[in-house]
């Protein structure tokens, strides 16, 4: 599990929202409070968020975008090819990050262990505050008519109130 962040994706009625907190921590110290851990890829058609080492995540964003271009924008295939390279390449397998990516149809979790997982439900989260945000978002999704952005805002606020590695400076991306 990667610490010092919370990334959450919520989808409902063809709307997808990716949310990320802004806190960057090193051990017990908050180094930055307003970082942006989200990116738009493939001309804005794909949202990506990371948990883990920042430089490693930037490298993975670039590699994923190259895979998308190399495979004609095929979302799942590009994710699988990235995970295969990540796991098998001697340099890449040392990267310490996880990616949560989403397009208009699917959400995928990509890890350096070779995993490409599609959640069974319309919410997913990574990072040290991920389980808090995921629990709150799932409850809101199942028990309210709130829009995805509202669910993400409330769930991230709840995670920030519980997790010491998560703050309430939230960045959102939507498709």
């Amino acid at each position: 599990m990667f610490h010092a962040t919370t990334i959450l994706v919520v989808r409902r009625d063809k709307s997808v929202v990716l949310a990320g907190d802004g806190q960057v921590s090193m051990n017990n110290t908050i180094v930055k409070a307003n970082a942006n851990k989200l990116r738009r890829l493939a001309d804005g058609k794909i949202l990506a968020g990371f948990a883990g080492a920042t430089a490693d995540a930037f490298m993975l964003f670039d590699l994923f975008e190259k895979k998308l271009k190399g495979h004609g924008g095929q979302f799942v295939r590009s994710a699988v090819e990235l995970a295969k390279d990540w796991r098998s390449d001697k340099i890449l397998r040392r990267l310490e990050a996880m990616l949560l990516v989403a397009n208009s149809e699917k959400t995928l979790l990509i890890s350096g262990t070779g995993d490409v997982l599609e959640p069974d439900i319309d919410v997913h989260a990574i990072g040290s505050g991920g389980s808090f945000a995921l629990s709150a978002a799932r409850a809101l999704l199942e028990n309210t008519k709130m829009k995805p952005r509202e669910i993400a805002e409330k769930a991230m606020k709840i995670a920030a109130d519980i997790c010491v590695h998560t703050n309430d400076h939230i960045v959102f991306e939507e498709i």
Side-chain angles (χ1 to χ4, degrees):
M1 159 122 91
F2 291 98
H3 296 285
T5 200
T6 302
I7 304 295
L8 171 70
V9 66
V10 180
R11 54 176 64 244
R12 174 180 265 171
D13 302 328
K14 300 187 187 214
S15 294
V16 180
V17 174
L18 188 67
D21 79 309
Q23 184 166 304
V24 176
S25 304
M26 294 181 82
N27 298 320
N28 295 329
T29 304
I30 297 169
V31 178
K32 185 172 178 80
N34 61 349
N36 183 355
K37 302 167 190 173
L38 309 181
R39 294 290 178 272
R40 285 182 166 273
L41 306 174
D43 297 322
K45 296 176 189 165
I46 295 174
L47 305 177
F50 75 89
T54 306
D56 294 353
F58 289 149
M59 180 181 224
L60 291 167
F61 285 152
D62 289 344
L63 289 172
F64 186 51
E65 190 137 48
K66 286 178 186 172
K67 293 292 183 189
L68 288 162
K69 288 178 183 172
H71 295 290
Q74 295 179 52
F75 184 62
V76 175
R77 181 169 181 199
S78 299
V80 169
E81 293 300 321
L82 173 62
K84 284 172 32 180
D85 287 354
W86 191 354
R87 181 171 171 80
S88 62
D89 185 275
K90 289 179 182 179
I91 295 171
L92 292 180
R93 76 173 152 228
R94 293 177 183 258
L95 299 181
E96 296 183 12
M98 293 180 81
L99 295 179
L100 190 56
V101 296
N103 67 8
S104 61
E105 299 171 7
K106 295 182 182 291
T107 299
L108 299 173
L109 169 66
I110 309 171
S111 78
T113 59
D115 293 320
V116 177
L117 304 171
E118 182 178 2
D120 292 334
I121 56 175
D122 288 334
V123 296
H124 200 65
I126 58 174
S128 57
S131 58
F132 305 117
L134 177 63
S135 297
R138 187 169 179 179
L140 292 167
L141 185 71
E142 292 176 4
N143 295 291
T144 73
K145 302 270 188 220
M146 294 170 72
K147 294 178 181 179
R149 171 72 181 247
E150 296 169 319
I151 291 171
E153 285 181 42
K154 184 67 175 166
M156 292 294 287
K157 172 75 170 95
I158 290 168
D161 288 346
I162 298 170
C163 178
V164 298
H165 293 288
T166 303
N167 71 8
D168 60 2
H169 179 85
I170 311 301
V171 176
F172 300 92
E173 292 288 349
E174 301 179 50
I175 50 176

